[in-house]
Every structure is written in structure tokens, then in C-alpha cells.
Amino acid sequence: MTAVSVRRPLVMGVVNLTADSFSDGGRFLDPATALSQARRLIDEGADILDLGAESTRPGAAPVSAALELERLLPLIASIRAVSDISISVDTMKPLVAQQAIAAGANIWNDVTALTHSNDAPAFAAQLGCEVMLMHMRGEPRTMQDDPHYGDVVAEVERYLLARAADAEEAGVAPDKIWIDPGIGFGKTVEHNLALLNALPRLCARGYRVLLGASRKRFLGALSPSAAQPQDRLAGSLAAALAGARAGVAAVRVHDVAATVQALDVDAAIRLSGRS
Ligand code: HH2
């Protein structure tokens, strides 16, 4: 008999090396604290660590490539000294991605979906790493100023498929491409809910899908007890489970242990329902 299995999404734990991230800004700026946070997320069961040195929250100030690298490279080296976990680097700058990959990162997570410069897709192809292409409307500084869409699902899907096609044309292998609807990036609460409902459709497009809903502001609008980012664990888990049921390949989260537990139980329930 062939073994039946239900694969749960990979869990990507966030380590923000930023002064101003919306949920944990400034907490892990010190290199030793950042490393201990990374180790903690590994111990809690993270499959991927997502390291970001520039906040993308609405209104965030840009950070120079030099400062991003100053924050990222020592941490990548110290994680690599203790673990072979997959590391993604959350940056829009090709040169930062290049140096991070050279230092031991495996994945380029780009919230601008390789549009920051004309040569970004060629850069990604040359690096040979996995790339995560996220949808964002506008830029972080202004993206939440009254975002409008005709049909948010169709527009986000069209954009992501066009960006993936561009990456493939530049030489990125299709199995290295991830797509991500960019929850909260130039979207109202209703847009985010429509996209969460459309995850099965996105997952059917042949690319791995990443979902990042953890602690985001729309959760606070949906439940009165979730006003502050640190009070949004339960809502974040609900979104992660919706992603798991839709077939996403990974969820990007701040609370790794709780997410692993919720996804493990959910996978076991689904598995037992099949037997
Ligand atoms: N969300 C954030 C940052 N990077 N990358 C992808 N691919 N998808 C996401 O949904 C995503 C992302 C925002 O969360 P956080 O890192 O906690 O905050 P900040 O951008 O303020 O550092």
C-alpha cells in the first residue's frame, strides 16, 4: 500500500534586523540578539529563516545597501556556523541579494518581484537561487493611501504570472520561482480577504505560493482583541491554516512554535480524513 501523506506548508520564521518593523522593530538590531532569535526560531521548528534589514511597513524609510549588508552579512555567517537551515534574504536590491547569497543565503525574497531595477531578473538568474516574487501596489511609503482595484484577485494574479514569466525569460528555472499575493501591501481589509479566498486559484498556477499574513494590520480590523501586532497570534494562526488548506507551500510568520503546532495538527486532521 502506498503511504498517504499530507504535507503541511513550510514555516518561514521572520528575523527583522530593522529599527522600525511594524511588529518587532528594533528588537533584534543587536547582532547577538539577532543570532539568539534565529537560533530560537530554528529550535522551534522553522524550515526557513527570512532575514530582512529594511522595513516594508507602510510609511517605512528606505535603508541604504551598505547598511542592509552591515546588518545581514554577519548574521548569515553566524547562522551558517551553527545550522544549514534555508535562509531567505528579504531585500529589493540585487547587490544585497548577491552578497547575501554569496555569504550563505539560499533564497531571494523580493517584495518588488524583481522590478527594483531593469537587471533584477537577470541578476536572479545568474545567482541561481530560489526567488520569491511578491505583489505590491505602489511603494511602502504610500501603498496604503486608498488602494483601488477593479478585480483584486485577477490583477494580483496577472501581475504575479507576468513577473514569473519575466523571471523565466531571464533564465530563472520555474521550480525556483515562488509567488506571493503580498497581504497588506497596498490592500484594504476586503482586498486581503479576497486574496486569502483566492489562494487555491493561485496555488493552481504551477508555482509555489508563499503567504505572509502574520500579525498584519487587517487582522486587527477583523477582531477587537487583535488591536496590537503582539495580540494577533490567534488571528495569524487562522490565516496560516487557511493557507495550508488552500495548498500554499510556505507561510511567513513571527510565531514559529505556535504555527508549527497548528499546522501539524491540521495536517494530521486532513490525513486522517483521507484514510
Ligand atoms: N511581509 C513583510 C515583509 N516581507 N515578504 C514576503 N514575501 N511576503 C510578505 O507578506 C512580507 C514580506 C512585512 O512584515 P514584517 O517583516 O514583519 O514587517 P516589516 O516589513 O515592517 O519589517
Side-chain angles (χ1 to χ4, degrees):
M1 208 173 85
T2 35
V4 184
S5 75
V6 170
R7 201 180 305 162
R8 67 155 173 79
L10 299 176
V11 173
M12 178 194 226
V14 179
V15 182
N16 277 324
L17 304 164
T18 57
D20 52 359
S21 286
F22 75 97
S23 77
D24 54 9
R27 279 188 60 201
F28 308 117
L29 259 182
D30 165 57
T33 320
L35 179 61
S36 65
Q37 173 67 359
R39 294 184 84 142
R40 185 176 142 195
L41 299 188
I42 294 170
D43 291 345
E44 289 181 356
D47 303 289
I48 305 169
L49 291 180
D50 189 43
L51 314 183
E54 177 175 42
S55 174
T56 48
R57 78 176 160 77
V63 169
S64 71
L67 183 54
E68 276 191 66
L69 287 168
E70 194 183 304
R71 291 173 176 173
L72 288 168
L73 295 185
L75 181 60
I76 294 170
S78 33
I79 294 171
R80 275 287 162 263
V82 295
S83 169
D84 60 3
I85 190 168
S86 276
I87 298 175
S88 60
V89 58
D90 187 349
T91 184
M92 50 184 94
K93 302 186 188 80
L95 285 170
V96 173
Q98 182 189 42
Q99 295 204 34
I101 299 294
N106 317 83
I107 305 171
W108 180 3
N109 173 20
D110 184 2
V111 298
T112 68
L114 305 178
T115 62
H116 186 67
S117 61
N118 289 340
D119 58 356
F123 240 92
Q126 206 188 346
L127 292 177
C129 61
E130 293 179 33
V131 280
M132 294 172 157
L133 308 174
M134 198 198 76
H135 176 273
M136 168 163 51
R137 171 60 63 84
E139 47 155 329
R141 212 164 34 82
T142 53
M143 66 189 177
Q144 286 307 106
D145 299 349
D146 198 20
H148 273 86
Y149 299 84
D151 176 340
V152 66
V153 170
E155 287 172 45
V156 168
E157 181 181 53
R158 201 178 314 128
Y159 174 86
L160 290 173
L161 295 179
R163 296 310 310 137
D166 230 39
E168 281 192 49
E169 207 169 299
V172 181
D175 63 353
K176 295 222 154 94
I177 297 175
W178 296 65
I179 55 174
D180 176 342
I183 298 296
F185 284 82
K187 281 130 193 150
T188 62
V189 175
E190 290 69 31
H191 295 145
N192 291 319
L193 293 174
L195 288 166
L196 286 167
N197 275 299
L199 287 172
R201 173 169 159 183
L202 276 187
C203 291
R205 289 312 189 162
Y207 300 104
R208 281 174 290 176
V209 172
L210 171 68
L211 174 67
S214 176
R215 297 190 188 175
K216 285 191 176 164
R217 197 191 300 193
F218 80 107
L219 299 169
L222 295 174
S223 186
S225 66
Q228 297 305 318
Q230 60 275 17
D231 298 328
R232 294 176 188 158
L233 172 58
S236 303
L237 294 177
L241 291 174
R245 297 248 162 174
V248 303
V251 288
R252 180 182 182 279
V253 303
H254 301 83
D255 302 284
V256 167
T259 307
V260 168
Q261 184 182 121
L263 293 176
D264 281 346
V265 171
D266 181 61
I269 294 168
R270 287 188 284 143
L271 178 60
S272 93
R274 283 194 195 171
S275 54

